[in-house]
Amino acid sequence: MIYNEEFETLPRPALEALQLKRLNDTLSRVYANVPFYKQSFDKAGIRPDSVTSLEDLQKLPFTYKQDMRDSYPYGLFAAPMEDIVRIHASSGTTGKPTVVGYTRKDIEIWAELMARSFVAAGAHKGDIIHNAYGYGLFTGGLGAHYGAERLGASVIPMSGGNTKKQIMIMQDFGSTVLTCTPSYSLFLAEAAEEEGIDFKKLKLHVGIFGAEPWSEAMRVEIEAKLDICAIDIYGLSEIMGPGVAIECRVAKKGLHIWEDHFIAEIIDPDTGELLPPGEKGELVITTITKQGIPLIRYRTRDITSINYEPCACGRTHARIDRMSGRSDDMLIIRGVNVFPSQIESILMGIEGVEPHYLLIVDRKDNLDTLEVQVEVDERLFSDEIKHLQTLSLTIEKAIKDLLGITCKTRLVEPRTIARSEGKAKRVIDNRKTV
Ligand SMILES: [Zn+2]
């Protein structure tokens, strides 16, 4: 099933022609209405009408998260405040949040793109969507909510937290679709187990998980524990919120990015050069229909690759690969670039290891150290100590072999590592406080 057959299956030449037209409109609008863009285009010697092909996009300067911070709160808005009907913000780890504004049309497009995403994931009208993304300034809750209503499904606005109640509602209301972070889905399954509730007996058939990077191995784990199909969704508040891209259930191989509303580029994060399809780099997105806060060549910091090959589902929109992490999350340990998701993949591939872990990075005597705390099957603790030692060595060796870094493992009993009701905390980097 395809929600918007006409636009989701546009032949590529028509899709690209539409992108160019919408890009031109957007460039004229930001040049006329946003002083930041007028200055940056002038400085680069570019006039909006000198962009005559999609390739010309590469001449335009990038927009960074810092530019949004510098123009806090409304400096990058391209529409007057009386046309803004919603404001969201993403919490910054430091200082002020990043603020985004939506016109009525922006909200309508967002609802449609989320509805498209639900259908691509295999949800339909008649589904009962249990929305456990947080409602509030965070875009997750309301983004999924409006999309579910647009689709015509029944949406339960659960928001995050209150895990016991979540499980009761899921059971009593017959929820068929779950939306939350991947780590929270496992937490729910674990909490249900403690209550003596078999998650597999619930009516859920699909889970749509995003807001944090997760590995293929984690998918296998979730699908087995919850007995559902687990679909990866991508979005970020700066660009729109959830629903920028989603995996289709048919192929489950890469996330279709809605190219009639966004132009995606993959660049080398160090040089800014465009990379060819298939090569991993930083995702850069230009919004081409947004009115409230259009962004030109926004540096997402997310690392992925892009694939323009036709998909079995019939959609013509390009697919981006599952995120390997954010360049912000990338750890440099003794000069080696490491994403937490890489360690997650390794851990999930080892028998007896549970999908809950914490990486602790420190510096001792000027040398970076990595400790991997991971929960393991409780039966291992009743076995002989040598089994635990063997497992530790297996993990350390696997990490050394695949990533080239030496680490120490600390195996802990199930439910030792703190759970999060939103994004999981995977890393404690003590080097930053020194
Ligand atoms: Zn597809």
Side-chain angles (χ1 to χ4, degrees), residues 190-348:
E190 203 175 73
E193 200 184 301
E194 275 173 15
E195 302 277 299
I197 294 162
D198 185 359
F199 225 89
K200 293 182 180 168
K201 291 213 177 102
L202 300 182
K203 290 191 176 143
L204 290 179
H205 68 85
V206 64
I208 299 170
F209 304 122
E212 66 188 17
W214 50 309
S215 63
E216 195 58 38
M218 176 82 106
R219 177 186 349 244
V220 173
E221 186 86 28
I222 293 173
E223 293 193 331
K225 283 212 161 123
L226 281 76
D227 192 27
I228 57 170
C229 169
I231 294 285
D232 191 10
I233 188 168
Y234 173 74
L236 63 169
S237 66
E238 297 94 308
I239 295 302
M240 180 175 83
V244 172
I246 188 147
E247 279 178 325
C248 58
R249 193 157 171 174
V250 174
K252 240 165 137 183
K253 208 168 175 16
L255 294 82
H256 290 284
I257 177 158
W258 304 122
E259 286 188 282
D260 49 341
H261 297 277
F262 310 108
I263 300 177
E265 301 169 271
I266 304 294
I267 60 153
D268 178 325
D270 297 325
T271 65
E273 290 296 309
L274 192 72
L275 294 175
E279 251 178 66
K280 248 184 210 290
E282 180 180 339
L283 175 65
V284 170
I285 298 179
T286 299
T287 69
I288 50 173
T289 51
K290 256 173 70 175
Q291 296 179 328
I293 177 165
L295 291 179
I296 309 301
R297 305 196 83 200
Y298 183 69
R299 299 278 300 251
T300 66
R301 318 307 294 179
D302 289 316
I303 305 295
T304 183
S305 61
I306 196 161
N307 163 16
Y308 291 94
E309 281 159 30
C311 183
C313 72
R315 290 177 183 84
T316 51
H317 297 221
R319 282 172 286 166
I320 50 175
D321 194 20
R322 163 186 285 281
M323 299 294 149
S324 23
R326 294 183 71 97
S327 54
D328 300 348
D329 294 342
M330 189 178 80
L331 293 164
I332 302 177
I333 300 171
R334 282 180 230 160
V336 180
N337 297 349
V338 181
F339 286 105
S341 60
Q342 291 176 300
I343 295 182
E344 178 181 304
S345 286
I346 295 170
L347 292 174
M348 297 298 100

Side-chain angles (χ1 to χ4, degrees), residues 136 144 168 355 416 420:
M168 181 189 79
T416 308
S420 156

Side-chain angles (χ1 to χ4, degrees), residues 4 22 70 75 91 111-112 153 193 206 211 299 367 374 389:
N4 186 335
R22 289 179 166 176
D70 292 346
S91 53
E112 182 191 320
E193 200 184 301
V206 64
R299 299 278 300 251
L367 200 62
V374 61
Q389 286 167 343

Side-chain angles (χ1 to χ4, degrees), residues 369-403:
T369 61
L370 170 66
E371 179 180 298
V372 178
Q373 280 188 16
V374 61
E375 292 183 7
V376 296
D377 196 319
E378 53 198 344
R379 279 169 298 185
L380 279 164
F381 286 93
S382 50
D383 284 349
E384 286 174 60
I385 194 88
K386 71 167 192 241
H387 291 142
L388 284 171
Q389 286 167 343
T390 312
L391 185 57
S392 278
L393 290 174
T394 307
I395 294 171
E396 286 164 16
K397 183 170 185 309
I399 291 175
K400 176 86 188 169
D401 288 351
L402 284 149
L403 301 175

